[in-house]
Amino acid sequence: MEAPQGGFFLSKVDFTKPAITLDAQLDLLRQRGLEISDAGKAKHFLQFVGYYRLSGYYKYYTDPADPKRERFVPGISFEQLVEIYNFDRRLRALFTRAFERVEVAVKATLSDAGAQTHGPFWLCEPSNFDRGSHRLITEVLDGCVGDRNQPHQHMFINQFMNKYSQPYPPSWMMTEIMSFGSISKIYKFSKGNIRQAVSSKFDLQHDVMESWLHSLSFARNVCAHHNRIWNRAFTIKPKVPRVYSPHWPTFGHDRLFVICGMTWHLTKLIDNSSPWASRLEQLIDRRPGVPLKAMGFPDNWREIPPWNSH
């Protein structure tokens, strides 16, 4: 038996919980104190969302005194669970649109910063990256190009590889097919002149930019996999720039508030006419009865940067 992280051995037991019907799921929720006024609508929701997925949302409404966090506080209804689920879904949709703008902008800026100074194939040169790190960069490039004996999913990659002798396409093609996580890694290991050329375009110091890309690539993956975001405690805490550190509360550094602040800082630089912040405000104003602090927001969040300038 392998020891889990930390070195403690745990004995394993067989999983014995059976799958239960939709009616049984409703009965279980009622037993735990949830009010269900329309069983038909509740069953329909569970059919197409799933009991287990919804359980990640109803934990917010359970009694903290219950060791298993299964018993609902009095007065909670199934409709309230649906409201908070839909609130979270709309938040993810809003972030997804912003992350697309940010990802495309960072790709273009990073490619240009390297290519203007070091040529179209700067990604292939170890001298453009921290000592000993180019092996990791090559792994990223190989992962993007894939099996050279098989057609690539992108026609422009096939056309380049069939016509030219270079082992990889130029940076503007390569960054186009990279994931947000790969772009974050490329930026992290790039030499200082490239990093600074990129971060200056976004009014950030290069180390803060690195931290933000890492955090946002994780948040983007959370949204892409349709996971809960509204009250998530993010394991990757980004650095806070000096301009924001006096204003952003420490209790929000691992919560949605900082993800929102980073996203808006970058989005408004990319498009100063973007309605993203206004749409976020509308969503938060219509939130289903949850306190701001649960999302890491201070009560005066509209009065502090970057929100007070839109």
Side-chain angles (χ1 to χ4, degrees), residues 267-309:
T267 300
K268 71 176 181 177
L269 283 170
I270 297 165
D271 178 7
N272 61 11
S273 64
S274 171
W276 192 85
S278 297
R279 290 172 178 169
L280 177 68
E281 285 190 25
Q282 292 171 9
L283 264 180
I284 292 177
D285 287 343
R286 297 170 185 168
R287 68 190 185 278
V290 296
L292 286 171
K293 193 169 184 178
M295 299 182 287
F297 280 71
D299 291 334
N300 67 333
W301 70 278
R302 289 179 175 87
E303 303 165 12
I304 61 178
W307 311 103
N308 58 356
S309 60

Side-chain angles (χ1 to χ4, degrees), residues 73-198:
V73 296
I76 300 301
S77 68
F78 193 91
E79 289 74 19
Q80 286 175 279
L81 299 189
V82 173
E83 284 181 358
I84 200 167
Y85 178 84
N86 286 332
F87 170 64
D88 192 58
R89 182 173 55 84
R90 294 184 183 104
L91 276 174
R92 287 197 307 274
L94 185 66
F95 275 107
T96 297
R97 290 192 290 270
F99 289 159
E100 177 191 354
R101 299 294 301 272
V102 171
E103 181 177 340
V104 170
V106 173
K107 283 180 176 182
T109 307
L110 178 61
S111 173
D112 187 65
Q116 291 291 338
T117 306
H118 305 287
F121 302 99
W122 68 274
L123 292 170
C124 305
E125 296 297 329
S127 59
N128 293 325
F129 298 89
D130 291 341
R131 183 184 298 275
S133 66
H134 196 253
R135 175 183 59 82
L136 300 174
I137 304 304
T138 301
E139 290 176 0
V140 170
L141 301 182
D142 286 338
C144 291
V145 172
D147 186 350
R148 288 170 168 77
N149 295 318
Q150 299 293 328
H152 196 275
Q153 62 176 320
H154 294 288
M155 185 61 67
F156 64 90
I157 298 295
N158 286 324
Q159 291 173 341
F160 181 90
M161 300 300 283
N162 290 333
K163 185 175 181 179
Y164 297 103
S165 60
Q166 279 84 0
Y168 303 101
S171 65
W172 50 84
M173 292 186 184
M174 291 302 301
T175 54
E176 186 68 21
I177 60 175
M178 287 181 186
S179 67
F180 203 157
S182 294
I183 287 295
S184 175
K185 185 177 291 185
I186 296 291
Y187 179 85
K188 176 180 179 179
F189 292 113
S190 294
K191 282 292 181 64
N193 62 333
I194 298 173
R195 288 160 56 92
Q196 290 167 0
V198 174

Side-chain angles (χ1 to χ4, degrees), residues 216-280:
L216 291 176
S217 67
F218 178 81
R220 182 261 178 204
N221 288 339
V222 170
C223 291
H225 291 92
H226 319 299
N227 293 326
R228 176 177 48 84
I229 194 172
W230 79 273
N231 68 337
R232 174 181 291 271
F234 290 87
T235 54
I236 301 173
K237 295 182 182 180
K239 292 183 178 180
V240 179
R242 287 191 294 268
V243 67
Y244 297 142
S245 58
H247 309 284
W248 289 6
T250 55
F251 68 79
H253 283 190
D254 65 343
R255 298 285 171 167
L256 186 69
F257 170 72
V258 167
I259 301 297
C260 290
M262 293 189 299
T263 302
W264 178 233
H265 173 102
L266 297 171
T267 300
K268 71 176 181 177
L269 283 170
I270 297 165
D271 178 7
N272 61 11
S273 64
S274 171
W276 192 85
S278 297
R279 290 172 178 169
L280 177 68

